[in-house]
Amino acid sequence: MKKLLVIQTAGLGHAFATRHGVTHIAGLPLIPMRPVFPALTCTAQATLRTALPPAGHGMTANGFFDTTLRKPFFWEQSSALVGGPRVWDAFRARGGTVGLFFFQQSLGENADQLLSPAPIHTHGGGLIMACASAPADLHARLTRRVRRPFRLSRYWGPLASAKSSEWIADAVAVQLAAPDAPDLCLAYLPGLDYDLQRHGPDHPKSLKALHAVRAELERLFAAARANGYEAVAFGDYAITAASRAVFPNRALRDAGLFAVRTVRGMAYPDFHQSRAFALADHQVALVNCPDPAALPRVRDTLAALDGVARVLGKAEQAALGVDHPRTGDLLL
């Protein structure tokens, strides 16, 4: 049975890489491609897994606003959030095996192998690092063979760095050589994304991260060849230089549309009393307007913001393939 390794590399933009001299990786030329819209990690991964636009699979951003709970959620990991059949369903039905390594929304996925961060949040506010693993001993086996633990602090949060991708690349390379290696292996390397966001695409630290992820990709392509796999890598989106921030919720608050609670001198969102709320995610924002009568005013308020290029209603969202209940009433 043919074996395939698919590697998603966060933030690997064609223009960024080639501008800095990376035109080939593992002897293969980098080819420009158009990302799905919105160009976000969870959206891109869901489209890869289903071959559906966001309107079909429902991952219209990295987060969403639950209109029943009146609460925003980001980076939730349940595979049930991704609607639609998987591109590997027929392959598995024929006896093929599938592994997902650090893909988003993979918990509970119909795959044969799985590795994903799944920390335990304690009642006292603490955090216990843990990885979800299928089979149950997979994480322990890979940790022994990689000879160092996976550190969540290098994957999420202020200390996140290219070292997270290094561990994932080492673990996947080890697993490709294992007797139970999956026929189709999907892996996610997040490390390049962090310094691009912190420093911009032309900072020396971003270039250092680019060359680090290039080395990881070349190591994975070599491991694939050594173990009879074909391999393909792709970037989910590009990060471009940003000149300023846009604050849609401040504008909504100034207009009396976004409510806050003041507790101990601090303002906290009051989603139950708010007439509109924008869930911002990189260069898009999903706007929910529980009060339909306020929608024209919400749209005018946000369209007037410096830095907002377009305000998409439901008709415009449908034309772009992103019309879904989770997209909200407006998309900035």
Side-chain angles (χ1 to χ4, degrees):
M1 185 174 287
K2 183 179 289 188
K3 298 192 291 185
L4 176 65
L5 169 66
V6 180
I7 313 160
Q8 180 192 337
T9 308
L12 182 61
H14 181 267
F16 161 68
T18 56
R19 185 170 71 251
H20 295 295
V22 179
T23 60
H24 290 70
I25 293 179
L28 300 172
L30 271 64
I31 301 170
M33 58 189 293
R34 187 177 68 181
V36 67
F37 177 82
L40 299 163
T41 294
C42 295
T43 308
Q45 289 190 2
T47 291
L48 174 73
R49 285 153 63 182
T50 63
L52 295 171
H57 58 62
M59 288 306 301
T60 56
N62 295 316
F64 62 95
F65 184 78
D66 189 296
T67 56
T68 301
L69 297 175
R70 295 284 182 91
K71 185 177 181 180
F73 293 89
F74 261 96
W75 301 107
E76 294 295 320
Q77 294 301 311
S78 170
S79 63
L81 290 170
V82 180
R86 306 315 194 230
V87 294
W88 57 73
D89 285 346
F91 178 67
R92 287 191 79 219
R94 296 195 303 269
T97 55
V98 176
L100 275 76
F101 294 85
F102 290 83
F103 256 58
Q104 305 298 328
Q105 288 79 53
S106 61
L107 299 184
E109 186 59 277
N110 57 339
D112 302 278
Q113 293 186 5
L114 171 70
L115 201 59
S116 175
I120 305 298
H121 296 270
T122 66
H123 294 295
L127 185 76
I128 301 172
M129 177 53 215
C131 278
S133 178
D137 67 338
L138 179 62
H139 179 228
R141 280 192 280 139
L142 291 177
T143 298
R144 285 195 299 271
R145 297 191 67 187
V146 173
R147 297 184 179 179
R148 64 186 185 282
F150 172 77
R151 298 193 183 281
L152 182 66
S153 62
R154 300 295 186 183
Y155 186 83
W156 285 329
L159 299 179
S161 73
K163 289 186 178 297
S164 60
S165 290
E166 183 180 311
W167 193 95
I168 295 168
D170 288 346
V172 171
V174 163
Q175 184 59 12
L176 293 181
D180 63 342
D183 303 307
L184 170 62
C185 180
L186 296 99
Y188 171 52
L189 300 182
L192 174 61
D193 188 50
Y194 303 128
D195 282 331
L196 282 169
Q197 291 189 56
R198 288 189 188 105
H199 308 295
D202 296 313
H203 193 280
K205 290 184 178 180
S206 297
L207 306 188
K208 182 179 178 181
L210 171 63
H211 291 293
V213 81
R214 179 185 190 176
E216 290 152 9
L217 287 169
E218 291 185 340
R219 186 160 71 254
L220 282 172
F221 271 81
R225 286 193 298 270
N227 293 285
Y229 283 78
E230 295 183 25
V232 60
F234 73 99
D236 45 8
Y237 53 80
I239 288 183
T240 56
S243 58
R244 64 189 182 280
V246 182
F247 299 98
N249 286 313
R250 291 185 185 180
L252 292 173
R253 183 185 179 187
D254 291 343
L257 296 163
F258 179 62
V260 299
R261 299 168 56 210
T262 301
V263 179
R264 296 184 180 180
M266 299 288 287
Y268 296 90
D270 186 345
F271 299 112
H272 299 281
Q273 301 299 322
S274 294
R275 302 171 71 190
F277 165 67
L279 184 144
D281 195 351
H282 287 259
Q283 287 180 293
V284 299
L286 315 182
V287 182
N288 285 271
C289 187
D291 180 5
L295 187 59
R297 188 171 164 220
V298 171
R299 182 167 194 149
D300 290 345
T301 298
L302 296 174
L305 274 178
D306 184 25
V308 172
R310 299 177 66 188
V311 181
L312 308 177
K314 284 298 185 183
E316 295 97 335
Q317 292 174 26
L320 290 172
V322 294
D323 183 20
H324 187 276
R326 293 193 196 129
T327 314
D329 302 289
L330 301 171
L331 190 152
L332 310 186

